[in-house]
Amino acid sequence: MAGAGQPTIDEVARLAGVSRGTASRVINGGAHVSPAAHEKVLKAIEELQYVPSRAARSLVTQRNDAVALAISDANPRLFTEHPFFSEVIVGIDTVLAESDLELMLVLGASVRERNRLRRQLSSRRVDGIMLLSLHGEDPLYELAEQADVPVVYGGKPLGVEPPHYVDADNRGGARQAVEHLVTTGRQRIATVTGPMDMDVGVARYHGFRDALGSAGLPAHRVANADFTAASAVRAMADLLDRFPDLDAVFVAADSMAAAALGVLHERGRRIPQDVAVVGFDDRATALTTHPPLTTVHQPVQALGAEMAKMLLSLMAGRPAGHADPAHAAGHPAIDVAQFTVTENECVARPVPPFQSSKPASTSISHHEFWR
Amino acid sequence: MAGAGQPTIDEVARLAGVSRGTASRVINGGAHVSPAAHEKVLKAIEELQYVPSRAARSLVTQRNDAVALAISDANPRLFTEHPFFSEVIVGIDTVLAESDLELMLVLGASVRERNRLRRQLSSRRVDGIMLLSLHGEDPLYELAEQADVPVVYGGKPLGVEPPHYVDADNRGGARQAVEHLVTTGRQRIATVTGPMDMDVGVARYHGFRDALGSAGLPAHRVANADFTAASAVRAMADLLDRFPDLDAVFVAADSMAAAALGVLHERGRRIPQDVAVVGFDDRATALTTHPPLTTVHQPVQALGAEMAKMLLSLMAGRPAGHADPAHAAGHPAIDVAQFTVTENECVARPVPPFQSSKPASTSISHHEFWR
DNA sequence: TCCGTTCATGGGAGCGCTCCCAAAAAGGTC
DNA sequence: GACCTTTTTGGGAGCGCTCCCATGAACGGA
């Protein structure tokens, strides 16, 4: 009868010689419990190896102590190719680890998975949702809106302004990257863009235009890609076909830049003598290419961490309604990632802390491209 | 009173004009329910947007419809640098999507996270556990053994033979890679190994030794690394210092090979004229390097999928105890990944299906290294 | 028409917990 | 020692579901 499956709180209480209520109190922080009882319960828990049933607890508290990360991208290849997602996950996990929340991962590639996602998000199994990589007309956006738990977006969805999201200043970063090309004397600057149905793709493209516009240079050398290596190869080849005289390329992601580099090599372009290349995203990838890629660094882990923090504060604010002095004017709807300034070899340089609501200071990692 | 929070099954039943039991039957497959009642319940569900509470269901069924993927690696950087983990996740998710199971992701980098992991795995919140990337003396192994849910390992833990795991024939794959170097006339072959406290690191190193041993070549040109790019840079530099005359390197992971390539370039080695390089893992990474990396491909997604399938069958077998004819002799404890044979440029080549319990046929992607 | 079967249905019990209230115990004060 | 206050404790109620058993309806054969 006892010891059948997992021990229950009643068994703990019995062993400790106290009531179920007292045992529960000890488990949940131990307020209003005499030291003697506290001690006894603790010992019983230890002896029985008791771990509370989350299901039973959730049923009564109506909380789940779990959050979901939904990655809604039609292209599973992107998830594996692009370190972005892993970085975000690590950032999120770092924050979650401190709060004992579980992380549910939902990939939403296929229609089938999309339905599953729908079910999972609405089965009251999680207390908050983080949404990543939303394309333009992503049906998930709608779904998330009608969820009755807080939702935080990673990357602003295209065309809408959701109440809570975290994003980097993609436009400013791209602008700086391209300005750097201009500064070093490049004249015929091209770009391989990200997907134009995502804000990140559009914003970086706008940054490209901004920089060239200010410099009085033409901005018509454009080829679209979708962040995958294969698409970048096509786009780079396309650019070279259409504009054989281009002397610089701004590629909207490092993983794509690495692929573009291969095409340039193949076509006999010397880098950086013939064509300069600037990427965007992370330093790690940039260093494995040859030559090491010049890149604008985006603190993706910090972005993930910020998403998690924002979600946490949303979740806390909901039931308690307490006003956090730091956020007196309401929750910050937008956080702007700072780009890292790195002027030298940067393998071991620590990532500067992510900061909220400050003007984005962007920067560029110099490598031998510019020597 | 009604409509307060989420609708309950009772509200559905009331609206449909049937009893709670009948509503429940419809929700769970609809056996022994008259067409009329069935119809009415479905309509009520639709109208109320009812989704069953997982917590309540779990409490009574003692199931969770969730599995955990625990990645127990001390190095968070590895997770972000190495596409391996993303690939595994995608593979797992593909299988899970068909079974409506949730995936909890637990990273176990820090001690704090390790404790959290411990708690999560024993809080009866998941029905099965997949463990990835276990290092030598990982305490998690013990913990998993005493968990009362099925456990599947991704990658054989070092020094033990767990009942259920999925792994690739790392030794055979490495051997083939190195044999390839031998075949093309290389004499002074070195290796950058993976972590030697993981089976994958040791096995690939053994494969290296196997090949050189058979060829009668010395196998002393060895530098250890841990799968991170930084460690590979160090190891490659170390090899060049100690064995300036080396004419080939087998690098135990593509992500490391990319980094090693940079070092070789820097030191003025021409590739492949002076030094040939072979990597190990995935084709995608291999193509973004310059020149494109020759590599032994490991179908990592398939490995993830296989882990999930194994776990699923374990979970199903437990309560039902039904004997699957295909696995008549008991569950297969070991699955061996086939390596992909690709003799040409291979961007678009489909991955051959992953197969169980067959001799590993290994192969190598040819690129201009060998032209 | 009556009775034995089969099948659909209703609803009680209970999963393991937290919440809350009432009761008991412990302190403090005059 | 009587009385009031505070702290600690016990245990009932109930979260939303599934399981199961008893009941009722429908059906078919004699």
Side-chain angles (χ1 to χ4, degrees):
Chain A
M1 176 164 277
Q6 290 277 343
T8 72
I9 197 174
D10 285 286
E11 292 173 45
V12 171
R14 199 175 315 137
L15 182 61
V18 301
S19 76
R20 180 165 32 82
T22 301
S24 177
R25 264 168 233 124
V26 171
I27 290 160
N28 293 289
H32 301 293
V33 176
S34 69
H38 194 106
E39 175 71 18
K40 283 189 292 182
V41 172
L42 249 33
K43 244 176 63 187
I45 288 173
E46 172 69 19
E47 188 173 331
L48 294 174
Q49 294 259 44
Y50 169 78
V51 181
S53 155
R54 288 250 193 187
R57 179 178 285 179
S58 288
L59 185 58
V60 51
T61 61
Q62 302 284 33
R63 283 181 301 104
N64 297 91
D65 300 316
V67 299
L69 171 64
I71 299 179
S72 163
D73 201 294
N75 197 341
R77 188 180 280 182
L78 197 52
F79 180 75
T80 61
E81 268 184 20
H82 212 299
F84 178 82
F85 299 99
S86 308
E87 297 261 7
V88 171
I89 290 175
V90 168
I92 289 173
D93 189 76
T94 309
V95 174
L96 256 38
E98 290 169 16
S99 59
D100 205 22
L101 286 168
E102 291 176 354
L103 177 62
M104 204 174 105
L105 185 65
V106 199
L107 304 187
S110 64
V111 175
R112 173 167 227 160
E113 288 189 319
R114 203 59 74 81
N115 283 333
R116 183 175 61 131
L117 202 161
R118 184 177 205 100
R119 251 175 294 132
Q120 295 194 0
L121 295 192
S122 52
S123 65
R124 311 176 240 160
R125 203 30 197 250
V126 292
D127 304 322
I129 300 173
M130 289 170 284
L131 241 40
L132 215 55
S133 180
L134 287 188
H135 285 260
E137 308 277 293
D138 203 308
L140 218 54
Y141 180 70
E142 221 180 316
L143 174 64
E145 286 308 282
Q146 67 192 48
D148 51 355
V149 294
V151 178
V152 169
Y153 292 83
K156 176 182 167 301
L158 189 67
V160 289
E161 187 84 15
H164 306 283
Y165 69 89
V166 181
D167 208 347
D169 177 17
N170 287 302
R171 185 167 186 166
R175 181 191 177 111
Q176 297 236 13
V178 178
E179 272 169 358
H180 193 88
L181 288 169
V182 172
T183 305
T184 53
R186 304 293 169 163
Q187 300 276 329
R188 297 173 298 282
I189 304 175
T191 185
V192 173
T193 74
M196 297 305 274
D197 63 345
M198 290 179 67
D199 184 81
V200 55
V202 174
R204 290 181 189 176
Y205 169 64
H206 281 156
F208 167 80
R209 293 190 64 95
D210 289 350
L212 292 187
S214 312
L217 292 170
H220 62 288
R221 298 179 181 87
V222 178
N224 294 324
D226 63 6
F227 283 151
T228 64
S231 73
V233 166
R234 276 194 300 275
M236 191 66 244
D238 180 44
L239 282 177
L240 286 174
D241 287 343
R242 285 157 57 208
F243 314 105
D245 65 338
L246 59 82
D247 63 2
V249 194
F250 164 61
V251 187
D254 278 355
S255 50
M256 291 205 298
L261 240 35
V263 175
L264 287 167
H265 280 304
E266 225 165 64
R267 299 282 192 104
R269 300 300 201 282
R270 288 168 307 157
I271 299 168
Q273 295 90 333
D274 299 333
V275 179
V277 179
V278 182
F280 202 118
D281 266 351
D282 58 295
R283 257 193 257 95
T285 305
L287 285 177
T288 64
T289 62
H290 181 73
L293 197 60
T294 296
T295 190
V296 177
H297 176 63
Q298 182 188 13
V300 182
Q301 280 193 31
L303 189 144
E306 205 59 21
M307 286 176 68
K309 279 182 204 160
M310 190 181 276
L311 188 63
L312 253 46
S313 83
L314 246 34
M315 283 164 49
R318 171 75 54 103
H322 77 281
D324 185 343
H327 300 164
H331 290 291
I334 305 171
D335 275 319
V336 180
Q338 276 198 311
F339 293 103
T340 305
V341 183
T342 325
E343 289 290 343
N344 42 21
E345 297 287 329
C346 51
V347 176
R349 278 283 200 91
V351 178
F354 183 87
Q355 307 215 351
S356 313
S357 310
K358 293 210 184 149
S361 89
T362 316
S363 79
I364 297 198
S365 310
H366 265 222
H367 293 299
E368 55 218 66
F369 283 12
W370 314 108
R371 276 187 201 148
Chain B
M1 176 162 282
Q6 289 277 343
T8 71
I9 197 173
D10 284 286
E11 291 173 45
V12 170
R14 199 175 315 137
L15 182 61
V18 300
S19 75
R20 180 167 30 83
T22 300
S24 177
R25 263 168 235 125
V26 172
I27 290 160
N28 294 288
H32 301 291
V33 176
S34 69
H38 194 105
E39 176 71 19
K40 282 188 293 180
V41 171
L42 250 33
K43 243 177 63 188
I45 288 174
E46 172 70 18
E47 189 173 331
L48 294 174
Q49 294 259 46
Y50 169 77
V51 181
S53 154
R54 288 252 193 183
R57 180 178 284 179
S58 287
L59 185 57
V60 50
T61 61
Q62 302 285 35
R63 283 182 301 103
N64 297 90
D65 301 317
V67 298
L69 171 64
I71 300 179
S72 161
D73 201 293
N75 197 341
R77 187 179 279 179
L78 196 54
F79 181 73
T80 62
E81 268 183 20
H82 212 299
F84 177 82
F85 299 100
S86 307
E87 296 261 7
V88 171
I89 290 175
V90 168
I92 288 173
D93 189 76
T94 310
V95 174
L96 256 38
E98 291 168 18
S99 58
D100 205 22
L101 286 169
E102 292 173 354
L103 177 64
M104 315 297 294
L105 185 64
V106 199
L107 305 187
S110 63
V111 175
R112 174 167 229 159
E113 288 189 317
R114 201 56 74 82
N115 283 334
R116 182 174 64 130
L117 203 160
R118 185 181 203 97
R119 250 175 295 133
Q120 293 195 4
L121 296 192
S122 51
S123 66
R124 314 176 235 161
R125 233 331 231 265
V126 293
D127 304 322
I129 299 173
M130 289 170 285
L131 239 40
L132 213 54
S133 187
L134 281 192
H135 286 253
E137 305 277 290
D138 202 310
L140 219 54
Y141 180 73
E142 223 179 312
L143 175 64
E145 287 307 282
Q146 68 191 47
D148 51 357
V149 295
V151 178
V152 168
Y153 293 83
K156 176 182 166 304
L158 190 65
V160 290
E161 187 83 16
H164 307 284
Y165 70 89
V166 180
D167 207 345
D169 177 16
N170 287 302
R171 185 168 188 166
R175 180 191 177 114
Q176 297 235 11
V178 177
E179 273 169 357
H180 194 85
L181 289 168
V182 172
T183 305
T184 55
R186 305 291 168 164
Q187 300 276 326
R188 295 173 299 282
I189 304 175
T191 185
V192 172
T193 73
M196 297 305 273
D197 63 345
M198 291 180 70
D199 185 80
V200 56
V202 174
R204 289 180 190 177
Y205 169 63
H206 281 156
F208 167 80
R209 294 190 63 95
D210 289 350
L212 293 189
S214 310
L217 291 170
H220 63 290
R221 299 180 179 85
V222 178
N224 294 322
D226 63 8
F227 282 151
T228 63
S231 73
V233 166
R234 275 194 301 275
M236 191 66 244
D238 181 42
L239 281 177
L240 287 174
D241 287 343
R242 285 158 56 210
F243 313 104
D245 66 337
L246 59 81
D247 63 3
V249 194
F250 164 61
V251 187
D254 278 356
S255 50
M256 292 205 297
L261 239 36
V263 175
L264 287 167
H265 281 304
E266 226 165 65
R267 298 283 191 105
R269 300 301 201 283
R270 288 168 307 157
I271 299 168
Q273 295 91 332
D274 299 333
V275 178
V277 179
V278 183
F280 202 118
D281 267 350
D282 56 297
R283 256 192 255 95
T285 305
L287 286 177
T288 64
T289 62
H290 180 74
L293 197 61
T294 296
T295 190
V296 178
H297 177 63
Q298 181 188 12
V300 182
Q301 281 194 29
L303 188 144
E306 205 60 21
M307 284 175 68
K309 279 182 205 161
M310 191 182 275
L311 188 62
L312 254 45
S313 82
L314 246 32
M315 283 163 51
R318 172 77 54 101
H322 76 282
D324 186 342
H327 300 164
H331 289 293
I334 305 170
D335 274 321
V336 180
Q338 277 198 313
F339 293 100
T340 306
V341 183
T342 326
E343 289 291 344
N344 42 21
E345 297 286 330
C346 51
V347 177
R349 276 284 199 90
V351 178
F354 182 87
Q355 306 215 350
S356 313
S357 311
K358 290 208 186 152
S361 88
T362 316
S363 80
I364 298 198
S365 310
H366 266 221
H367 294 299
E368 55 217 66
F369 282 11
W370 314 110
R371 277 187 200 145

